Amino acid sequence: MAKSTTKKKHSKRSDSIESTLGEKRLFKPSKAFSEKARISSMAQYEKLYRASIKDPEKFFAKQAEELHWFKKWRKVLETKNPRLSKAGAGGGSFAFTQWFTGGEINACYNCIDRHLSSPRKNKAAIIWEGENFEQRTLTYSQLHREVSKAANVLKSLGVKTGDRVAIYMGMTPELAIAVLACARIGATHTVIFGGFSAEAIRDRVNDCDAKLIITADGAFRRGTIIDLKKNVDNAVTSGCPSVEKVLVLKRTANAVVMIAGRDVWWHEAMAEASANCPATPLDSEHPLYILYTSGTTGKPKGIVHTTAGYLLGTYLTMKYIFDIRDEDVFWCSADVGWVTGHSYVLYGPLANGATIVMYEGAPTYPAPDRFWDIIERHGATIFYTAPTAIRAFIRAGDEHSNKHDMSSLRLLGSVGEPINPEAWMWYHRVIGKGRCPIVDTWWQTETGAIMISPIPGAVPTIPGSATLPFFGVEPEVVRKDGTKCNPDEGGYLIIKKPWPSMLRGIYKDPERFQKQYFTEYPGLYFTGDGARQDKNGYFWIMGRVDDVINVSGHRLGTMEVESALVGHESVAEAAVVGRPDEIKGSALVAFVTLKKGWPADESLKEKLRNHVAEMIGSIAKPDDIRFSDALPKTRSGKIMRRLLRELASTGSVAGDTTTLEDFSVLEQLRAGEEE
Ligand code: 7RM
């Protein structure tokens, strides 16, 4: 596959040491950062990594001692003799790995109670900001009180250990409280993103037979109110037989219908609840949550995570990859409806006793500088966001971030999709002022925690590469036949060994679990991503393998063509899909969003085609370029290429759109086509 080349010259105004590695630019962590970091040299990282691979049981047993246990485990890593399904014996032992068996632990206790006997007791756990600029801060001891009360409310509504609770709320402190309250009593939570429709709620609630739905009257988003309660009502009316109660937070004060006997106001129930609710000791493998994620078919998969391994994975990655400190203010801008919000808004940071920022609303509301304003006012030291957001900021222009003093920042993170080198450089230069290392973190809902990422004080970074594996993670890039690829040869990314925070299954669908992840390469975990490993061992993630297009017999990653397009000065964002073509097999259609001030005309289309030809080769020249103000995305920022593919080949979209964030985008795209 063609290598992406960064031809533009960037100014050398960075503190970090830059050198070139072939054509690629290498950024070494600054001395100032490394000196203070937990892991401060490549040698130290390599030593720990080797130990974690050589003897994972020993390595993780030692790390797990940093958590609180009601009862110590009997065995660190164990394979329960699986009752192998018809889907095949492919998964074998790997698919059925359990961690810390025989142990008893509670995730909520580790995120809250454990800190109460230390000076963290009165430290801010959550600094929350509403979209309307309302502010609330909850210390660890205040959070403890609220979560204990909420846990008692759950019990009073008939929720027991092992029951499922669906949570459909905006990004308010009560969302965090609801999640932690479930964990406290061992009710398995399933958070449904607040942007999803009634249909999506119904499918998820029914798949896991949730007894209770926790929601709010509404949520503020871009200055308007999303009718959460109405969506829940519609979902339940259309058939959710398992739902007994609906607990409703009053947030937006819009009119709602409360159904007698079923609906309960959060504030009324909380007013009566006792603040005494000890955390329930739970088996290490007790299911902590189910999170639905879209698969290749229409039906979302309920990814199941259990307690001890997941908690350890998020705790350790938070500690070493974000190098979290007591004095940090950590802001992960992800919604809790996404796995990133589970692991790095809540469980990872709180298990480390960190202070987090939680923001309710849209990134550009009321003005494009909202995020930078939040960083400045709360003194955020670590900021973790998605490339899609970064590209939107680039598009809005540097003046918005330049208005703010963001000198509190010391580390930046990226997650969700490959970050193209241009966006990486902008993030580094404009937001990090050349001072902050960037951790490009590769992981999945299924992996629970970060798998491939630089350790910021130790591993030199290259824009576009997620670099090296985290402790205990053994990835490899393989060919279709399972043999290992040569350096720089593109292939399929697989994981060779179980890791503590790995998914334990797809809810109620063990066959799909085996088939999806463990049969393609028997005995190995199949990620579904394409990647290559360069001669230094660095990983370059190329996107989902189903995003590969075959043009006249040449395999092109949509990502490569997109990266080339975004490398042009006029382009803010691009999505490339294939459309069936009689001659070439597939023709390339590029949907392009331009930066402010560029004319969407034919001459620019021609320039962009030539630009791609120059960067990759004429084989990658898009046959068709369509300008659009926005692209269809999931809430976590992943472009829904499936919809664009449909649009490009049939002219309309009939498939499942329940995970689409903004429906108006499809209208715009359709309208654009009729022009
Ligand atoms: C955390 C999350 C998972 C998919 C994954 C990749 C893509 C995520 C990166 C990335 C390149 C990254 N969970 N992905 N992070 N690709 N570089 N740093 O996103 O389940 O929602 O998505 O996202 O394709 O398989 S997820």
Side-chain angles (χ1 to χ4, degrees):
M1 292 195 189
K3 283 179 211 164
S4 67
T5 45
T6 311
K7 289 193 174 165
K8 259 190 239 160
K9 293 270 178 294
H10 298 282
S11 62
K12 282 213 171 193
R13 61 168 116 157
S14 137
D15 286 355
S16 52
I17 305 153
E18 302 173 19
S19 58
T20 51
L21 189 86
E23 262 181 281
K24 305 266 162 50
R25 285 157 43 93
L26 188 72
F27 292 80
K28 290 194 180 141
S30 71
K31 204 159 166 255
F33 192 97
S34 288
E35 268 172 358
K36 285 205 224 132
R38 285 206 172 78
I39 300 178
S40 54
S41 73
M42 197 67 175
Q44 204 186 344
Y45 157 76
E46 279 168 349
K47 193 169 164 221
L48 281 165
Y49 179 73
R50 272 196 303 270
S52 74
I53 297 298
K54 195 166 150 247
D55 193 348
E57 293 205 51
K58 187 173 161 206
F59 181 86
F60 286 114
K62 184 160 173 253
Q63 305 291 332
E65 271 161 23
E66 292 178 23
L67 298 176
H68 166 273
W69 295 84
F70 290 106
K71 187 175 152 207
K72 195 169 166 168
W73 58 89
R74 196 179 54 240
K75 186 106 181 52
V76 177
L77 195 162
E78 199 169 25
T79 305
K80 289 276 159 178
N81 198 6
R83 212 169 18 88
L84 287 177
S85 67
K86 287 192 289 286
S93 55
F94 193 153
F96 296 92
T97 308
Q98 302 199 329
W99 288 83
F100 305 103
T101 40
E104 282 181 5
I105 189 166
N106 184 291
C108 177
Y109 188 98
N110 273 282
C111 287
I112 304 177
D113 305 49
R114 195 160 59 100
H115 309 309
L116 300 182
S117 53
S118 81
R120 285 178 184 154
K121 180 175 188 212
N122 294 316
K123 171 182 173 175
I126 301 177
I127 298 175
W128 175 81
E129 181 162 312
E131 194 180 67
N132 57 5
F133 291 91
E134 223 175 294
Q135 313 263 333
R136 270 169 71 190
T137 298
L138 284 163
T139 64
Y140 273 96
S141 94
Q142 288 167 331
L143 184 62
H144 177 252
R145 201 180 151 75
E146 293 304 306
V147 169
S148 301
K149 284 199 302 189
N152 278 328
V153 169
L154 297 184
K155 286 185 188 168
S156 75
L157 296 174
V159 177
K160 298 199 170 58
T161 305
D163 286 344
R164 271 80 54 214
V165 173
I167 302 176
Y168 180 70
M169 303 172 90
M171 286 281 285
T172 56
E174 286 78 8
L175 166 55
I177 292 165
V179 165
L180 292 161
C182 287
R184 194 163 189 83
I185 63 168
T188 302
H189 57 76
T190 186
V191 180
I192 302 170
F193 168 54
F196 286 175
S197 62
E199 192 192 0
I201 302 171
R202 189 197 56 207
D203 292 350
R204 287 158 176 76
V205 163
N206 286 340
D207 188 73
C208 70
D209 294 316
K211 214 176 190 178
L212 170 73
I213 303 179
I214 310 179
T215 189
D217 48 357
F220 290 116
R221 187 90 192 167
R222 287 188 196 96
T224 62
I225 292 173
I226 301 172
D227 279 325
L228 297 178
K229 175 63 163 61
K230 207 164 97 195
N231 289 344
V232 168
D233 289 344
N234 289 341
V236 178
T237 313
S238 70
C240 293
S242 61
V243 174
E244 292 169 12
K245 299 277 179 192
V246 177
L247 183 60
V248 188
L249 173 77
K250 188 174 267 183
R251 167 66 191 135
T252 46
N254 49 317
V256 294
V257 180
M258 295 293 280
I259 295 175
R262 189 196 72 182
D263 299 352
V264 178
W265 282 112
W266 173 282
H267 59 273
E268 287 176 7
M270 286 290 275
E272 285 168 19
S274 143
N276 179 23
C277 180
T280 308
L282 299 166
D283 188 272
S284 291
E285 286 294 332
H286 185 80
L288 178 62
Y289 68 83
I290 302 168
L291 185 58
Y292 288 87
T293 178
S294 45
T296 36
T297 66
K299 191 181 181 300
K301 304 175 276 196
I303 304 298
V304 179
H305 281 290
T306 60
T307 306
Y310 173 81
L311 188 68
L312 183 64
T314 54
Y315 169 78
L316 286 180
T317 46
M318 193 67 212
K319 180 171 166 186
Y320 291 109
I321 295 171
F322 293 106
D323 199 45
I324 193 80
R325 310 265 151 194
D326 264 321
E327 54 277 24
D328 275 319
V329 176
F330 179 78
W331 185 23
C332 166
S333 70
D335 195 284
V336 173
W338 183 26
V339 71
T340 305
H342 284 63
S343 300
Y344 300 104
V345 174
L346 300 178
Y347 289 111
L350 298 179
N352 279 276
T355 295
I356 64 156
V357 172
M358 189 173 177
Y359 169 58
E360 178 182 41
T364 51
Y365 188 84
D369 69 337
R370 184 61 187 266
F371 268 25
W372 320 128
D373 185 36
I374 291 174
I375 290 176
E376 178 172 20
R377 278 186 291 104
H378 298 294
T381 58
I382 309 175
F383 178 53
Y384 190 33
T385 196
T388 178
I390 297 170
R391 287 190 296 268
F393 295 135
I394 298 176
R395 187 175 185 217
D398 297 4
E399 64 272 25
H400 306 292
S401 49
N402 287 344
K403 276 204 293 237
H404 293 278
D405 175 3
M406 294 190 282
S407 54
S408 56
L409 288 173
R410 65 181 195 90
L411 178 61
L412 301 171
S414 169
V415 60
E417 29 164 350
I419 178 166
N420 50 297
E422 279 67 29
W424 196 104
M425 285 306 305
W426 182 88
Y427 201 27
H428 173 75
R429 185 169 48 80
V430 179
I431 304 306
K433 298 283 180 241
R435 191 187 64 241
C436 306
I438 296 178
V439 288
D440 173 2
T441 62
W442 177 87
W443 59 295
Q444 308 176 297
T445 305
E446 291 87 341
T447 69
I450 298 169
M451 300 288 276
I452 303 179
S453 164
I455 298 285
V459 177
T461 52
I462 306 177
S465 172
T467 75
L468 299 171
F470 188 64
F471 306 136
V473 177
E474 209 178 339
E476 196 166 281
V477 181
V478 297
R479 305 190 180 104
K480 206 139 195 100
D481 65 5
T483 54
K484 189 176 175 178
C485 288
N486 292 322
D488 279 330
E489 178 185 341
Y492 301 90
L493 182 67
I494 54 99
I495 313 287
K496 293 167 78 174
K497 268 205 179 103
W499 63 98
S501 64
M502 65 183 270
L503 78 166
R504 299 300 197 268
I506 295 177
Y507 194 67
K508 284 202 299 214
D509 203 346
E511 309 227 332
R512 193 175 177 193
F513 171 57
Q514 286 236 33
K515 199 160 181 295
Q516 179 86 38
Y517 305 108
F518 297 99
T519 29
E520 200 93 13
Y521 297 99
L524 307 170
Y525 171 82
F526 178 57
T527 65
D529 279 354
R532 66 186 170 82
Q533 209 179 353
D534 67 20
K535 56 184 184 308
N536 299 301
Y538 278 27
F539 286 87
W540 297 76
I541 313 295
M542 302 162 71
R544 305 293 300 167
V545 285
D546 38 34
D547 289 338
V548 169
I549 307 173
N550 203 316
V551 182
S552 308
H554 294 263
R555 286 170 57 85
L556 286 168
T558 52
M559 166 60 197
E560 287 176 79
V561 185
E562 286 159 11
S563 185
L565 282 165
V566 176
H568 190 270
E569 52 183 347
S570 66
V571 177
E573 189 148 55
V576 171
V577 297
R579 143 164 74 68
D581 183 277
E582 272 182 27
I583 296 163
K584 302 201 240 182
S586 292
L588 293 180
V589 181
F591 293 84
V592 170
T593 306
L594 293 173
K595 285 188 191 149
K596 269 197 311 199
W598 288 84
D601 59 19
E602 283 306 316
S603 111
L604 184 56
K605 283 188 186 172
E606 201 42 42
K607 276 192 202 125
L608 290 177
R609 275 195 206 101
N610 292 334
H611 174 75
V612 174
E614 204 184 302
M615 300 295 281
I616 305 176
S618 53
I619 186 75
K621 245 182 171 179
D623 297 84
D624 192 0
I625 292 185
R626 299 193 196 168
F627 294 122
S628 160
D629 277 345
L631 298 170
K633 285 179 198 164
T634 65
R635 176 67 187 93
S636 64
K638 289 183 182 59
I639 296 170
M640 295 183 74
R641 291 193 182 73
R642 180 168 54 82
L643 302 184
L644 291 174
R645 243 184 334 259
E646 242 188 287
L647 196 65
S649 29
T650 68
S652 67
V653 174
D656 175 49
T657 54
T658 56
T659 54
L660 184 64
E661 193 204 3
D662 180 358
F663 289 91
S664 66
V665 171
L666 277 187
E667 295 302 322
Q668 276 181 44
L669 287 166
R670 277 194 212 107
E673 202 178 14
E674 281 154 19
E675 270 171 19

